[in-house]
Amino acid sequence: MSVGIVSYGTYIPKFRIKVEDIAKVWGDNADILSAGLMVNEKSVPDLDEDTVTIAVEAARAAICRSSLDPSRIEAIYTGSESHPYAVKPTSTIVAEAVEATPEMTAADLEFACKAGSAGMQACMGLVQSGMADLGLAIGSDVSQGAPGDALEYTAAAGGAAFVIGNKEEEMVAIIEDTYSFTTDTPDFWRREGMPYPEHGGRFTGEPGYFKHVLGAAKGLMNKLGTSAEDYDYAVFHQPNGKFPSRVAKMLGFSKEKIAPGLVVTRLGNTYSGSCLMGIAATLDQAKPGDRIFATAFGSGAGADAFSFSVTDKIDKIRDKAPRVEELLANPVYMDYAMYAKHKGKIRRA
């Protein structure tokens, strides 16, 4: 039985801060940072925005895009590393907001930046088994970076939602297969109650990101008997612009194939929403018959690779909700003081 994407939706806050405005505060060289990270600015949540509100907006956009009956959604999984409650699920709030309750299952997922893709895999299993008509997988984050830390230049806010189903007449992209590669690698962590995460320096690159992304990507290609030449587009987790560009080259993908989904330069790293946002941006441009290769990465560490085949249904729903480019347009810029207020880095005693 085939399974695939029935619809998708995204949400990006309107506020942005430029790398140069962060660098100015900490005495860093903005030109070197922007060139090294391949990031010029990042999104910032409004004072009343968090993982829940972003997830709700992305989910509503997905439902609106396909005009589906939300009561058909029988499973919702929200992946994030910034859930607002330690004990209280995000997914039940989303379910109520989109009117999918009560005959459904819901849970929150955590696996750093690949919790959203893990939700997609869970929905695939439920739909393929017949346990759910439709599943809704969301990656949403208002990611954190300590003041002055390298993460502060990229940690952003945003989310993407994907409705997963198995009816041929509804699927806009068939999920041909998926493959995961996982180890216990301490490249990034945050203990309970700590406001900001820490990262393991030398573990973040080769042992973390590249080992796992390459492991999952090569594993799926070997499983399917495909190569970069068989795909029209590719998307990789975007902690910055340099890592996905480098891993794409290592796997044989051209710059042109990753360009549509490489939104990190203007958005920053939306963590659980990162790879999903890239997939959505690519679907915004893809034509029927195109194939998309995608690999999400989550610190700790693991990667999920997917192979998609776009159907002719994409043209019928694409413009019924805002495209990623529309959400990136017309940003409202803020200085570091306002940014710190929005991110809760300045608080009254």
Side-chain angles (χ1 to χ4, degrees):
M1 178 188 296
S2 295
V3 63
I5 297 169
V6 170
S7 188
Y8 65 98
T10 55
Y11 179 76
I12 299 169
K14 66 180 179 180
F15 292 104
R16 308 281 192 279
I17 184 169
K18 295 181 179 180
V19 165
E20 62 189 71
D21 288 321
I22 301 175
K24 190 184 304 179
V25 171
W26 301 112
D28 294 328
N29 188 309
D31 292 335
I32 293 176
L33 283 165
S34 292
L37 295 170
M38 293 175 62
V39 176
N40 299 316
E41 59 192 55
K42 68 171 191 173
S43 61
V44 182
D46 204 345
L47 292 169
D48 60 352
E49 291 182 320
D50 61 11
T51 290
V52 172
T53 65
I54 289 172
V56 168
E57 291 299 322
R60 284 175 171 167
I63 292 170
C64 178
R65 178 169 260 128
S66 63
S67 304
L68 62 87
D69 179 357
S71 67
R72 294 178 56 199
I73 299 172
E74 297 178 317
I76 295 180
Y77 296 107
T78 306
S80 179
E81 59 182 70
S82 53
H83 291 288
Y85 295 99
V87 181
K88 170 69 178 84
T90 295
S91 295
T92 55
I93 304 174
V94 175
E96 200 73 56
V98 301
E99 301 183 346
T101 55
E103 296 180 5
M104 45 87 69
T105 183
D108 290 354
L109 301 179
E110 292 185 8
F111 196 140
C113 299
K114 84 167 191 72
S117 62
M120 290 180 68
Q121 291 177 323
C123 288
M124 287 174 64
L126 288 172
V127 170
Q128 282 184 312
S129 69
M131 290 180 64
D133 182 7
L134 296 174
L136 178 61
I138 305 167
S140 174
D141 258 306
V142 287
S143 50
Q144 306 297 321
D149 188 89
L151 290 175
E152 193 172 36
Y153 290 101
T154 56
F162 287 81
V163 179
I164 307 298
N166 62 7
K167 292 180 172 56
E168 184 178 349
E169 67 274 14
E170 293 182 334
M171 290 186 286
V172 301
I174 296 169
I175 303 176
E176 297 175 319
D177 214 333
T178 183
Y179 186 99
S180 296
F181 184 96
T182 309
T183 71
D184 181 20
T185 302
D187 59 324
F188 183 84
W189 65 91
R190 181 172 68 181
R191 286 191 175 275
E192 182 69 30
M194 298 300 291
Y196 302 111
E198 298 180 58
H199 41 96
R202 65 186 179 88
F203 288 97
T204 61
E206 299 299 334
Y209 184 93
F210 291 99
K211 175 181 177 179
H212 294 81
V213 171
L214 289 171
K218 290 180 178 179
L220 182 55
M221 287 185 189
N222 289 337
K223 186 178 180 182
L224 292 173
T226 59
S227 68
E229 295 179 358
D230 296 304
Y231 295 93
D232 301 280
Y233 300 101
V235 180
F236 300 96
H237 171 56
Q238 303 167 35
N240 49 55
K242 181 170 65 175
F243 278 21
S245 298
R246 179 182 166 193
V247 83
K249 184 177 180 180
M250 294 169 74
L251 289 166
F253 290 99
S254 66
K255 291 181 180 179
E256 291 73 23
K257 289 186 177 182
I258 66 169
L262 195 64
V263 296
V264 67
T265 57
R266 293 170 291 157
L267 174 60
N269 181 8
T270 53
Y271 284 42
S272 294
S274 174
C275 186
L276 273 59
M277 189 73 71
I279 295 170
T282 304
L283 286 172
D284 284 342
Q285 298 187 29
K287 302 184 299 295
D290 284 346
R291 295 179 79 185
I292 302 169
F293 190 86
T295 307
F297 169 76
S299 292
D304 301 326
F306 298 84
S307 179
F308 302 98
S309 177
V310 181
T311 76
D312 58 6
K313 310 299 185 301
I314 189 69
D315 291 330
K316 298 179 180 178
I317 74 164
R318 185 165 17 220
D319 293 320
K320 293 183 178 181
R323 299 191 187 197
V324 174
E325 281 295 328
E326 293 176 65
L327 296 173
L328 286 171
N330 304 313
V332 177
Y333 291 101
M334 57 174 58
D335 59 19
Y336 191 88
M338 187 60 70
Y339 158 75
K341 178 181 178 181
H342 275 237
K343 292 293 292 178
K345 297 185 181 189
I346 298 176
R347 298 183 181 181
R348 295 177 180 174

